[in-house]
Amino acid sequence: MFWTFWPLVFLLPITSDALQFTQLPLAGPTTDDWDLNASPNYNATGRFVFDAVAGLLQHWSNTRYHNGHTIVPGNIPAGTLLYHGRQDPDVPTTREWASLDSEFARIFCAEDDCWILTLVTTRPLRVLYFDGSSATKNGDGPIDTQDLLSWGAVLPERVSWDYERLRRLCELGDSLGFDAFVRMQGNFEVMLCNFTDGVQTVSLSKLENEERFPHHGYTFLHASAWHDHYPGETRIQLDLTRLISLYDVTLAPSLVPVRSGKERRMHRVLGIDERDVNAVLARVRAIASSPPSQSGIDWSTLFKVIRDRYSTRLEVLQSILSTDKDPGPRAFVIVQMALSPYRLYSAVPHPTGSDTAWAAPVFRLCSQSHTSFIESIHDELTASEHLLLTSAQETTREICRTLVGIWAEGMISLRDASTISESLALKWKTGVDHLINWLDWSLWTKCRPACAFDESCYIPGSPFSMEEWDAPEPRCISLFEPYSGIEPEDKGPPQNISSLPPRNLLKTLRL
Ligand SMILES: *[C@@H]1O[C@H](CO)[C@@H](O)[C@H](O)[C@H]1NC(C)=O
Ligand SMILES: *[C@@H]1O[C@H](CO)[C@@H](O)[C@H](O)[C@H]1NC(C)=O
């Protein structure tokens, strides 16, 4: 809604690229082909968009996949506190960094000269959020989407140019009406373009000395864990109807061959061609000038509803199929339950034969039920909403294809043998394993067994576990004395972190 109040001065011309993209036909599963044996297109990215959108503003998924592909405008409401830690009592007069949790700001104050400036927003701040571990100054991908906005190209050699990056982003922000930019590195930070406009000082305090580590590392982790999972950092309110994704194959087709054959963790924006960069920048400019979406769809909740329906059931199904002695009958019941709104009375196997075409109406109903209304108001959707729709369609279609395939085979097996053989269950296991790998939902990555009440399930990554940056496996760590677990092997205090002098840590965090 807040975009409607933007002054006319922000109405910049939209390039023909942006218009062209809003009018492209959907490259999605709008087909009427309900063949249970037809696999999804190898290059389709709907599942990546789905998991990225489901994980926006969450520490967990953006640590697991640190190379962000999404740029989303949003709002920080009036009355929100922001924190800025310093080694002196000077209030910044220009652009600087602030955090949403004081635990993050505290890292930037000196041990014996710890100043914390607390600000409050006096009006909604207009922000642009970069997903991924986007505040980590690493040249292997997390800064790529910011590079597009600051330099107009991905330039890993400028990874440490953070003040220049801030200056360029704020220049763009001035012309487009953004007050700040939001990034994450363990905690969420706000790159605030003006320390007096839209914010006022609540307090400037010199704080009591505290032993820096292990304390601060761990209190920082407390704050990270608060935003681990959905809905994440709710002080940033995103407008998904203006989301830009580099996984959008109509927006950035040059990245399709770049990603081809690479694991998801290795996906990045380096390799994008100039035409696609211009198209992305046109979409960023169009955020300021295009009218708000009238669709009324709550995309975040739609994606949540789809995850809720299937995440636990698929996880349990996978576990039954891999650990039960004779898993077929029990697995079949779980699949029946997941498909219960779609199991049509009229859909029954033919008297003989193993063909499953009779189940096509169940496949279609399952695949379309959450999205058919949205498909029907297609013309009212923004380009971002078209992407979200395709993503929900591709995702539910593949879930339904797998589950309906299992159900149909189960029905035929019960017709012929009144039971489900172990060999059939083994085939199902392959299908379910494949589906779970294909979906790759971040909420399935967890500590098993679950952690104790005074522990936290920690996903290693930026800033304290960079050695596990590319292969994070969650583990339980003790968040309170006796501290343990940030280091992979060691169960004692994190020695090499406690010995880091503050300035080095500053360097690690901000270069
Ligand atoms: C910050 O905003 C104030 C009030 O709009 C303005 O007077 C000042 O010039 C701005 N500062 C910078 C550094 O842009
Ligand atoms: C996927 O993309 C690659 C690179 O553009 C292309 O060579 C390949 O044919 C595509 N595969 C499919 C199934 O479309």
Side-chain angles (χ1 to χ4, degrees):
M1 282 301 114
F2 58 92
W3 305 106
T4 50
F5 302 120
W6 284 27
L8 288 178
V9 69
F10 299 134
L11 288 179
L12 299 184
I14 318 174
T15 71
S16 56
D17 273 352
L19 290 173
Q20 175 201 328
F21 285 117
T22 56
Q23 288 168 14
L24 265 182
L26 250 193
T30 50
T31 161
D32 252 342
D33 179 9
W34 299 101
D35 177 0
L36 286 166
N37 297 313
S39 309
N41 182 316
Y42 171 78
N43 292 323
T45 53
R47 66 191 197 274
F48 301 132
V49 174
F50 189 91
D51 193 51
V53 169
L56 290 172
L57 291 171
Q58 293 156 55
H59 171 243
W60 194 265
S61 42
N62 289 292
T63 302
R64 190 162 166 255
Y65 288 110
H66 44 66
N67 294 350
H69 281 68
T70 324
I71 305 170
V72 203
N75 209 349
I76 300 179
T80 305
L81 297 184
L82 302 175
Y83 303 92
H84 176 74
R86 300 182 67 80
Q87 319 202 350
D88 59 53
D90 301 337
V91 175
T93 53
T94 65
R95 318 169 179 99
E96 261 295 354
W97 284 260
S99 65
L100 285 152
D101 290 310
S102 63
E103 285 76 4
F104 192 6
R106 180 103 202 194
I107 294 225
F108 297 98
C109 67
E111 225 165 302
D112 42 8
D113 227 351
C114 178
W115 293 87
I116 296 282
L117 171 68
T118 304
L119 302 168
V120 64
T121 55
T122 55
R123 59 168 171 82
L125 294 188
R126 291 159 295 209
V127 304
L128 205 54
Y129 163 56
F130 300 98
D131 77 341
S133 261
S134 48
T136 306
K137 267 65 76 184
N138 250 32
D140 60 353
I143 312 279
D144 287 1
T145 50
Q146 286 163 76
D147 279 7
L148 298 183
L149 273 65
S150 32
W151 331 120
V154 178
L155 300 175
E157 63 274 21
R158 295 191 186 173
V159 66
S160 60
W161 295 23
D162 220 27
Y163 275 98
E164 181 60 13
R165 178 178 297 117
L166 177 62
R167 193 182 69 76
R168 298 281 195 110
L169 288 175
C170 285
E171 270 176 19
L172 185 76
D174 282 348
S175 67
L176 297 177
F178 295 111
D179 299 300
F181 298 84
V182 173
R183 310 192 297 191
M184 190 208 74
Q185 179 184 25
N187 280 347
F188 288 88
E189 69 178 26
V190 177
M191 305 162 86
L192 193 55
C193 294
N194 188 320
F195 262 58
T196 53
D197 188 8
V199 294
Q200 71 185 35
T201 298
V202 174
S203 58
L204 173 63
S205 313
K206 181 167 182 178
L207 297 180
E208 194 187 339
N209 281 354
E210 259 180 29
E211 191 196 338
R212 185 166 285 271
F213 284 111
H215 265 97
H216 291 180
Y218 283 93
T219 56
F220 179 101
L221 295 179
H222 292 172
S224 293
W226 301 333
H227 315 301
D228 265 346
H229 302 292
Y230 188 88
E233 176 48 84
T234 55
R235 284 167 287 190
I236 318 284
Q237 300 173 347
L238 298 178
D239 178 1
L240 298 187
T241 71
R242 298 173 195 252
L243 164 151
I244 298 165
S245 171
L246 276 299
Y247 277 127
D248 185 340
V249 295
T250 60
L251 179 66
S254 62
L255 288 175
V256 174
V258 173
R259 280 189 297 261
S260 191
K262 289 203 180 86
E263 285 182 61
R264 180 173 166 196
R265 204 179 306 285
M266 297 302 145
H267 293 174
R268 58 180 299 184
V269 182
L270 184 69
I272 188 171
D273 72 14
E274 199 182 330
R275 179 198 160 283
D276 291 358
V277 173
N278 289 333
V280 170
L281 294 177
R283 283 280 294 273
V284 172
R285 279 184 229 112
I287 290 170
S289 56
S290 53
S293 169
Q294 298 296 325
S295 75
I297 305 297
D298 180 347
W299 292 97
S300 175
T301 298
L302 172 70
F303 280 36
K304 171 85 163 54
V305 166
I306 294 170
R307 293 198 305 288
D308 284 350
R309 283 218 83 239
Y310 296 110
S311 61
T312 308
R313 285 166 174 165
L314 286 176
E315 200 175 26
V316 172
L317 182 61
Q318 185 181 42
S319 160
I320 288 171
L321 286 169
S322 37
T323 55
D324 275 21
K325 262 214 168 85
D326 177 21
R330 205 171 153 214
F332 184 70
V333 171
I334 305 251
V335 172
Q336 274 184 313
M337 192 190 297
L339 295 178
S340 85
Y342 318 119
R343 280 161 40 220
L344 297 165
Y345 185 76
S346 55
V348 284
H350 302 309
T352 56
S354 60
D355 179 50
T356 54
W358 56 271
V362 179
F363 179 22
R364 182 166 69 194
L365 187 59
C366 175
S367 301
Q368 292 186 332
S369 61
H370 287 283
T371 51
S372 59
F373 169 73
I374 306 175
E375 178 78 49
S376 77
I377 57 161
H378 198 264
D379 293 347
E380 293 170 40
L381 304 180
T382 63
S384 308
E385 290 179 292
H386 286 161
L387 177 74
L388 296 170
L389 173 61
T390 309
S391 155
Q393 286 172 325
E394 283 180 12
T395 301
T396 47
R397 183 185 171 101
E398 185 59 3
I399 295 171
C400 294
R401 191 177 77 86
T402 306
L403 293 181
V404 175
I406 291 174
W407 173 74
E409 288 173 353
M411 293 288 279
I412 291 169
S413 177
L414 291 174
R415 178 200 66 192
D416 294 344
S418 306
T419 185
I420 289 158
S421 67
E422 283 183 49
S423 62
L424 185 55
L426 197 62
K427 182 182 174 214
W428 292 354
K429 175 178 156 23
T430 308
V432 171
D433 286 349
H434 182 270
L435 175 66
I436 284 184
N437 286 336
W438 185 87
L439 292 168
D440 190 28
W441 286 349
S442 292
L443 47 75
W444 285 322
T445 308
K446 38 176 108 157
C447 292
R448 296 168 206 267
C451 306
F453 74 95
D454 59 349
E455 293 179 329
S456 175
C457 182
Y458 169 63
I459 182 129
S462 178
F464 295 120
S465 304
M466 290 306 285
E467 66 281 9
E468 293 164 89
W469 170 248
D470 272 331
E473 285 296 327
R475 59 174 172 268
C476 296
I477 66 167
S478 174
L479 279 179
F480 300 91
E481 277 195 283
Y483 301 104
S484 74
I486 294 183
E487 304 254 314
E489 306 300 326
D490 168 49
K491 295 290 169 211
Q495 289 308 331
N496 73 4
I497 288 178
S498 57
S499 62
L500 257 187
R503 265 170 227 287
N504 277 3
L505 178 69
L506 279 176
K507 215 162 162 242
T508 317
L509 288 168
R510 194 162 289 166
L511 282 168

